Amino acid sequence: MTDTRHRPAGPAPGTGGPADHPPAGGVPDPREPAARLLRDLRSGPAGLSGRDAARRLARFGPNTPARAEARSTWRALRRQLTHPLAVLLLVAAVLAVAAGTAQLGTAILVVVVLNAGFAFLQERHAGRAVEALGRYLPPHARVRRDATVRSVPAAELVPGDVLLLAEGDRVPADARLLSGGLQIDASALTGESVPVVRDASAPDTAARALDSPVLLFSGTGCVAGAAEAVVHATGAHTEIGRIAALAGTRPTDESPLERQVRRVARLIAAVAVGVGVAFVPLGVVAGLSLTEALVLAVGLIVANVPEGLLPTITLALAVGVRAMADRGALVKRLSAVETLGSTTVICTDKTGTLTTGTMRVVDVRGPGPETSPPGPAFWTALARCSTADPRTGAGDPTELALLEGAAAAGAGVDAGVRDAERLVLHAFDPHRMLMSTLDPGPDGPVLHVKGAPGAVLARCVLPADRRAAVEDAVAAMAGRGLRVLAVARRDPAADPAADPAAAHPAAADPGARDAAESGLTLLGLVGLLDPPRPEAPAAVASCHHAGIRVHVVSGDDGRTAAEIARRVGIGADRVVDGPVLDAMTEPELERFFAGCGEVVVARAAPEAKLRIADALRARGEVVAMTGDGVNDAPALRHADIGVAMGRSGTEVAREAATLVLTDDDVATVVAGVEEGRRVYDNVRKFVVYIFGHLLPELVPFLAFALSGGLIPLPIGVLQILAIDLGTDLLPALALSREPAEPGLMDRPPRPRSENVITGEMLLRAWGLMGPVAAVLATGLFLAVLVRGGWSPGAATGPGSPLHTTYRQATTATFAAIVACQVGTAFAARTRRVSLRSVGITTNRLLLGALAAELVFAAAAIFLPVANSLLGTTPPPAWVFACLLPMPLLVWGTDEAYRGVRRAREPARLHPAPPGAGR
């Protein structure tokens, strides 16, 4: 892994000499011997002087992550206002004003501003992750300055400061141990669920700095022990600062829907402008003046601009956001709902996502044959040999899990009573890899011991064959990904050669403790695991059923991650260690993930998660990345969809993600996939609905132009605007609330390259429903004219005898398009199945919207004010009788098409789980 924390360290201007800064040429390697590191940092065991620290603070800056560069508010807002659909709506507003309807133009403008403002506010969440990283550091730290121990603000720490750390502290900067040992909870940084041991005297043979036994990293927590360490990196040069840089370097990509909407907007713009421009010469040929031809070309452009499309998409996504909140997920960006629905691969963390985030005892074995259970003394030892308190939750998570197991076995001891009765406590020692307590027993003091199996077994009296069997049991348990501890005891009263006082803390001689912790009797083995969430297997099965592949990308040990993956149903076909993956080139990484099956990546660094996401996206996958730790922030920030845990996750992860699971239920991710697919389906449904009546709005202009003006214009520009913004909008919004179509989660994920508008949708809208509606509307227009005495070429303008008849005919066209919209709305409710299979009344909002549409149309036809504004006049009564079958004719045409399609297509089989059949 590349170390990005090195930086130039030449003399700072005005500091007065070389004694107040590290040597020129760069920060020294923190993994070099401690004495050399102190020398290179110009520090010592006594720490820095106050003046020296102040000069270094001026040179290196505060110990806080670098903040992302402030974004230009106006630039972000301008990007929203220049969205292609927004530009189209602005053009429509200008055209409406030019046509003499300033009210409609103002309404369209308000829609544009509201959409841009809402999207702009959603985008402002993007930079919060780096700020959260800064809040993750402790407020103060204990250091040695001027040879005395003092508390200083963590933001004022500098390289060379000597830290004093103890149980319960949070590490405030990257540091190298000088003395002592600690157990460190690094789960937020590395993803490991088990505390790791850091020991100043341990040999450093780790492949990467994160695993070094002598290094501490900013933001991790001390759960046991005490130590001194020298700070070697602060601020942006720490590991957490590097993560902050990764979390803020790349802009948020557009979602698949956002990209598709831009394409649709360009398509609509090209069609609208092309048709309008082409009409000008046709109008002139038809006998119109150039001015009249231009006015009618404007009408054609207005007819082809679906003014309700952008607000409908926005509100459909908003409905999805609300539905997700009801199901336990907070969506921070509207498009995230649809993105989750298009997900093809989920890269999930293990700790806290697939698992509960808390350790549990899952296996215990006695000292005898493999199947023998441990005796009561085993559980008593676990209850006594501990410093954790289950009542307050204070203490090592492993010890809390052991106490829970002991209590379940009937050996629970009140923490206060336990500590009061305890005779001696030897806390966990990283050198010995064990802890021991001297506790009262029925026959005298008893020494209880627990720790690493190798360390405890070396101090136990066991026959060779029994020792070999126990070691095999330890290997088998560890192979299942369990954290294994050995438990033993010694009864000093039963051994005259042993002196209980030798184990007393007052006996400072380490040899005395060694003597007491020898000749032990093995009581058994205990295996712990952060167990899978109960709902995880069903959630993974649902993903597989929907054709979604699930990879595990964890900072934990490979055996543990693979065991959890298999328990929840993830294939774990290949397990690769983080350093191995880091060594792969980009093409090798893409080929690795191009293979079949599901992958477990263990001990993954933050850069690895980003590289994995990029490799998958390069293959056309839509990637959802889940996580809860600080180390997950860069990947959550830059994945197609970042999903964080709301309860157990860190604030950093929640701020970086676009979707936060408020209930920490991994099954909510699957619910999000379903909701996202439903939203995308509904977007397509109202696109079909809106496009379905563009043709009947366009054909009247073509009839006028192609007839050379012999047929008067069947509909006015203002009447088209009334349809697009009056009768059109509410049913389109109601379609966004359409329930999921049967079989929604049985489909494979759609390809990333698939357009939101498909050929099949255009066939339904422009090849079936649109032509039927156009014929019905234009035919009714001609029927009204003919019955009123019109003949081709007769004058119909103001002052002519046929002007009233002409107004009635255009009103009939308006009413026919509205009637056909009703049929289009019912047809658009399903993509493949019949309307009967989903039920006519299941979307009551649509029924209400259609009723409101008809009321609006009636007002436009019969109210004098509307007559004056829109140029409408109530048509003869027989026209309304002709309108009644129109919805059925439009809907029936599409229903027949879908029926033929269902008959010709075999039912789709459920997708096989990824990796099945190998």
Side-chain angles (χ1 to χ4, degrees):
M1 179 177 65
T2 303
D3 189 350
T4 61
R5 294 172 294 174
H6 294 280
R7 74 269 191 195
T15 56
D20 55 354
H21 57 268
V27 170
D29 181 4
R31 302 173 72 174
E32 67 185 358
R36 184 182 302 172
L37 179 62
L38 284 170
R39 183 199 66 190
D40 291 343
L41 290 170
R42 300 294 190 265
S43 184
L48 304 173
S49 68
R51 287 183 297 177
D52 191 353
R55 288 192 293 267
R56 296 191 187 204
L57 181 63
R59 180 174 187 273
F60 292 108
N63 178 35
T64 56
R67 293 185 179 272
E69 183 180 351
R71 301 184 179 191
S72 169
T73 300
W74 290 111
R75 184 184 305 168
L77 190 58
R78 185 172 66 249
R79 185 167 59 253
Q80 299 299 335
L81 291 173
T82 56
H83 186 282
L85 269 184
V87 172
L88 280 177
L89 291 177
L90 289 172
V91 171
V94 172
L95 295 177
V97 172
T101 56
Q103 299 90 339
L104 289 176
T106 302
I108 297 174
L109 184 62
V110 169
V111 169
V112 173
V113 172
L114 288 177
N115 275 281
F118 193 79
F120 168 75
L121 291 176
Q122 292 293 321
E123 191 176 278
R124 301 303 294 170
H125 286 284
R128 301 261 181 97
V130 174
E131 298 176 11
L133 279 165
R135 295 193 294 271
Y136 203 72
L137 299 179
H140 292 85
R142 289 192 305 146
V143 299
R144 266 203 193 94
R145 287 188 181 171
D146 296 315
T148 61
V149 176
R150 64 180 64 176
S151 177
V152 301
E156 296 180 7
L157 289 175
V158 295
D161 264 325
V162 173
L163 295 171
L164 281 73
L165 298 167
E167 179 177 337
D169 289 342
R170 188 173 292 276
V171 180
D174 286 7
R176 203 269 193 206
L177 285 174
L178 299 176
S179 63
L182 295 164
Q183 277 190 292
I184 296 293
D185 177 9
S187 59
L189 192 61
T190 66
E192 294 188 49
S193 56
V194 177
V196 294
V197 175
R198 296 293 179 254
D199 182 2
S201 62
D204 187 357
T205 59
R208 59 177 187 170
L210 278 176
D211 301 321
S212 170
V214 298
L215 295 185
L216 306 176
F217 295 98
S218 171
T220 58
C222 305
V223 297
E228 294 186 7
V230 60
V231 173
H232 66 80
T234 59
H237 306 289
T238 63
E239 187 71 14
I240 204 170
R242 188 170 60 86
I243 290 174
L246 289 173
T249 52
R250 297 194 297 189
T252 302
D253 293 338
E254 287 184 319
S255 74
L257 180 61
E258 288 170 330
R259 288 191 292 271
Q260 293 298 327
V261 167
R262 287 186 181 274
R263 292 178 186 175
V264 171
R266 295 188 186 102
L267 172 64
I268 293 173
V271 171
V273 174
V275 171
V277 170
F279 181 80
V280 173
L282 291 176
V284 173
V285 171
L288 298 177
S289 66
L290 181 61
T291 301
E292 291 173 330
L294 289 174
V295 170
L296 289 179
V298 167
L300 270 176
I301 294 175
V302 171
N304 281 279
V305 175
E307 290 83 0
L309 183 60
L310 184 60
T312 302
I313 289 177
T314 301
L315 291 175
L317 293 173
V319 168
V321 167
R322 181 173 180 179
M324 284 297 297
D326 293 339
R327 302 179 79 162
L330 173 64
V331 179
K332 296 163 60 179
R333 198 174 74 226
L334 285 180
S335 60
V337 177
E338 179 275 332
T339 306
L340 192 57
S342 61
T343 296
T344 60
V345 173
I346 295 177
C347 293
T348 178
D349 192 18
K350 178 190 72 70
T351 306
T353 306
L354 293 177
T355 67
T356 62
T358 56
M359 299 296 290
R360 294 286 186 273
V361 174
V362 297
D363 193 3
V364 291
R365 304 191 183 191
E370 185 175 340
T371 57
S372 64
F378 171 87
W379 298 109
T380 299
L382 289 181
R384 291 285 185 176
C385 189
S386 176
T387 58
D389 188 347
R391 294 174 303 178
T392 62
D396 184 344
T398 299
E399 288 201 346
L400 291 171
L402 294 175
L403 291 176
E404 182 180 348
V413 178
D414 180 86
V417 173
R418 176 199 64 199
D419 295 345
E421 294 179 348
R422 178 177 293 147
L423 303 175
V424 175
L425 165 66
H426 281 304
F428 177 83
D429 187 333
H431 297 280
R432 292 180 169 83
M433 298 298 291
L434 52 81
M435 71 173 291
S436 63
T437 60
L438 189 66
D439 304 295
D443 300 320
V446 178
L447 187 72
H448 294 120
V449 181
K450 78 170 188 293
V456 175
L457 290 176
R459 299 170 184 269
C460 289
V461 178
L462 281 173
D465 59 340
R466 186 68 253 149
R467 184 180 299 273
V470 172
E471 290 173 348
D472 289 343
V474 171
M477 295 171 72
R480 293 165 45 208
L482 305 184
R483 185 189 185 193
V484 185
L485 298 176
V487 183
R489 63 174 279 173
R490 181 181 181 185
D491 186 353
D495 184 356
D499 180 9
H504 196 278
D509 181 8
R513 182 179 175 184
D514 281 338
E517 294 174 344
S518 61
L520 303 177
T521 300
L522 182 66
L523 298 178
L525 304 173
V526 56
L528 299 101
L529 188 71
D530 180 6
R533 291 181 176 274
E535 64 276 5
V540 170
S542 296
C543 288
H544 288 167
H545 193 69
I548 299 172
R549 198 180 301 270
V550 184
H551 300 309
V552 177
V553 185
S554 173
D556 216 333
D557 175 76
R559 292 178 301 182
T560 302
E563 172 68 13
I564 292 296
R566 294 187 182 103
R567 287 192 180 199
V568 301
I570 297 173
D573 304 276
R574 288 168 291 163
V575 180
V576 61
D577 203 45
V580 175
L581 186 137
D582 293 340
M584 294 182 185
T585 64
E586 300 304 322
E588 289 173 341
L589 191 62
E590 290 182 23
R591 287 194 297 270
F592 178 78
F593 279 96
C596 59
E598 293 173 323
V599 177
V600 172
V601 181
R603 293 155 45 84
E607 299 95 327
K609 293 190 174 186
L610 290 180
R611 293 185 67 215
I612 289 169
D614 288 342
L616 290 168
R617 294 172 67 187
R619 298 185 56 243
E621 309 282 4
V622 177
V623 182
M625 183 76 69
T626 73
D628 60 356
V630 172
N631 63 317
D632 296 320
L636 292 177
R637 172 72 176 83
H638 298 301
D640 288 307
I641 177 74
V643 184
M645 302 296 111
R647 289 181 181 174
S648 60
T650 61
E651 182 184 4
V652 177
R654 292 193 296 270
E655 290 291 355
T658 49
L659 180 68
V660 179
L661 305 183
T662 58
D663 54 3
D664 280 14
D665 187 347
V666 70
T668 306
V669 178
V670 181
V673 171
E674 182 179 6
E675 186 63 31
R677 290 188 178 188
R678 185 187 71 84
V679 167
Y680 192 80
D681 265 13
N682 289 348
V683 168
R684 284 182 159 178
K685 288 172 183 177
F686 59 66
V687 166
V688 169
Y689 169 76
I690 290 173
F691 278 27
H693 59 263
L694 290 182
L695 201 59
E697 292 177 358
L698 175 63
V699 166
F701 289 89
L702 294 178
F704 170 76
L706 295 177
S707 70
L710 296 179
I711 299 176
L713 191 63
I715 191 169
V717 175
L718 296 182
Q719 292 169 352
I720 290 176
L721 286 174
I723 292 173
D724 289 347
L725 290 177
T727 66
D728 199 14
L729 196 56
L730 286 180
L733 294 177
L735 284 171
S736 69
R737 301 295 297 270
E738 188 67 31
E741 193 168 330
L744 180 68
M745 291 298 285
D746 294 338
R747 309 174 195 164
R750 68 180 184 276
R752 191 184 190 106
S753 59
E754 182 177 286
N755 293 326
V756 67
I757 298 179
T758 64
E760 181 204 0
M761 294 167 62
L762 295 180
L763 172 63
R764 294 176 61 193
W766 291 350
L768 296 173
M769 293 183 285
V772 171
V775 169
L776 293 174
T778 307
L780 187 61
F781 168 77
L782 294 174
V784 174
L785 281 180
V786 170
R787 292 198 58 162
W790 170 84
S791 61
T796 57
S800 66
L802 291 174
H803 183 61
T804 300
T805 300
Y806 171 70
R807 286 172 59 106
Q808 290 178 329
T810 59
T811 304
T813 305
F814 170 83
I817 293 176
V818 171
C820 291
Q821 280 183 321
V822 175
T824 304
F826 280 109
R829 289 190 59 195
T830 62
R831 184 183 69 91
R832 182 178 181 276
V833 302
S834 66
L835 178 61
R836 177 176 158 187
S837 66
V838 298
I840 296 178
T841 61
T842 50
N843 188 346
R844 296 188 177 181
L845 189 62
L846 178 61
L847 299 179
L850 292 176
E853 175 184 14
L854 296 177
V855 170
F856 178 89
I861 293 172
F862 294 106
L863 290 181
V865 174
N867 295 156
S868 174
L869 178 65
L870 301 177
T872 55
T873 297
W878 62 268
V879 169
F880 297 100
C882 294
L883 296 175
L884 294 177
M886 289 186 181
L888 292 175
L889 291 172
V890 173
W891 164 78
T893 301
D894 187 68
E895 185 78 5
Y897 161 75
R898 284 181 283 115
V900 171
R901 184 181 169 211
R902 287 195 303 273
R904 291 182 177 179
E905 292 182 357
R908 196 184 82 78
L909 300 176
H910 293 322
R918 291 180 305 277

